[in-house]
Amino acid sequence: MNTAVAERAAWRGAPVLLLAIVLAWSLAIGAELTGSVQWVHHHRLVVDGVNPWLSLALFLLAWQIHIAAMMLPTALPMVGLFRQVAGGQRHPGLARAGFLGGYLVVWTLFGGAALVGDALLDGAIQRWHWLIHRPEWIAGPVLVVAGAFQFSALKDRCLDICRQPRSFLLNHYRQGVPAAFMLGMHHGWFCLGCCWALMVVMFIVGIANLLWMAPLALLMLYEKVGRHGRRVARSSGAALMLIGVLVIADPAWIPNLLPAH
């Protein structure tokens, strides 16, 4: 069985995760259609009349849904292959849970770090009031940096690992639940290294912004499983850099590209 066939079989062998992905997208779309999306938006971490801890809990919940919708589809080939390999362990179910737990820890840490960075940025805006009227000097550079990262050696290295889950397992697999957790974290760091810049874009436009969420999710998925993933990564990088330059040069683009703001 070649790698492509094995990975398709791995996708079909993960019905619970597929259901989680469908549910996450359903919740995201439902929040948009019902007008309640603002309550899962990270920019409302501190809102009038809402306890800050409750707002933080809402963000963390929204972030898990966000990760399930955007990142879990890209990890399904690896998760499915791990399920096949770990089937002979003494506690295969616990091993799978440990692997997913390690993966989730990495992305949750990133979400927390990005949220802190966003809060620091908001603090800077409050000190330097001119930034309030110059959002293009925040959004534009982030888009340019995210686009430039698509051409970087780190992106290439991490994308190579993500596109070859079978090789990664052959080199790093160990039996046991703790080993599964560490393996999940190990692979999660490569996944983060591949996609962090695109996810930072979501913090600029809003993590619940479907106009960006859907195409970026498809982009990250194709980068990892598509035949021309590397070429598409570079093309998308050029597009993001162009959009960033246009935003800086002409802020009139912002209402159309960044509706969350």
Side-chain angles (χ1 to χ4, degrees):
M1 182 183 294
N2 61 39
T3 301
V5 173
E7 291 182 1
R8 285 196 295 270
W11 280 57
R12 291 193 298 269
V16 175
L17 298 184
L18 289 172
L19 179 61
I21 293 168
V22 171
L23 180 59
W25 277 104
S26 298
L27 289 172
I29 295 171
E32 182 77 32
L33 294 178
T34 59
S36 58
V37 69
Q38 68 271 18
W39 296 108
V40 294
H41 197 297
H42 69 281
H43 290 309
R44 292 186 66 95
L45 178 60
V46 179
V47 295
D48 293 338
V50 178
N51 183 289
W53 292 107
L54 177 58
S55 295
L56 178 60
L58 286 172
F59 165 77
L60 292 176
L61 175 61
W63 182 250
Q64 306 310 316
I65 296 171
H66 186 66
I67 292 303
M70 294 193 71
M71 299 312 307
L72 188 53
T74 73
L76 272 182
M78 178 65 184
V79 174
L81 287 172
F82 179 84
R83 179 179 182 273
Q84 293 176 354
V85 173
Q89 290 196 33
R90 186 175 180 181
H91 301 291
L94 290 177
R96 291 195 296 270
F99 178 83
L100 287 171
Y103 192 89
L104 183 62
V105 164
V106 169
W107 277 105
T108 300
L109 288 174
F110 171 78
L115 183 64
V116 170
D118 188 74
L120 293 175
L121 179 59
D122 285 342
I125 290 174
Q126 296 304 316
R127 289 193 299 272
W128 301 320
H129 294 286
W130 65 273
L131 277 175
I132 297 176
H133 307 290
R134 296 290 186 273
E136 66 273 16
W137 288 107
I138 298 173
V142 169
L143 290 168
V144 171
V145 169
F149 181 75
Q150 295 290 90
F151 295 89
S152 69
L154 177 59
K155 171 76 176 191
D156 286 344
R157 168 63 176 159
C158 293
L159 188 57
D160 282 342
I161 297 297
C162 291
R163 288 178 61 86
Q164 302 177 52
R166 185 174 294 275
S167 296
F168 182 86
L169 274 179
L170 288 173
N171 291 326
H172 301 286
Y173 175 76
R174 300 291 185 274
Q175 290 196 8
V177 176
F181 178 81
M182 295 305 298
L183 184 68
M185 287 194 67
H186 190 179
H187 192 261
W189 286 118
F190 284 109
C191 182
L192 176 62
C194 181
C195 301
W196 72 269
L198 296 177
M199 294 297 277
V200 168
V201 171
M202 289 303 305
F203 265 82
I204 291 297
V205 302
I207 66 167
N209 188 333
L210 285 177
L211 292 178
W212 283 82
M213 184 177 174
L216 286 181
L218 288 173
L219 169 61
M220 289 186 287
L221 176 61
Y222 189 84
E223 282 181 352
K224 293 183 180 181
V225 304
R227 181 178 179 183
H228 304 293
R230 191 181 300 279
R231 184 182 306 171
V232 169
R234 283 175 165 70
S235 297
S236 66
L240 285 171
M241 293 175 70
L242 176 60
I243 293 172
V245 170
L246 290 174
V247 166
I248 295 171
D250 186 3
W253 280 76
I254 288 181
N256 293 323
L257 294 174
L258 311 178
H261 295 267

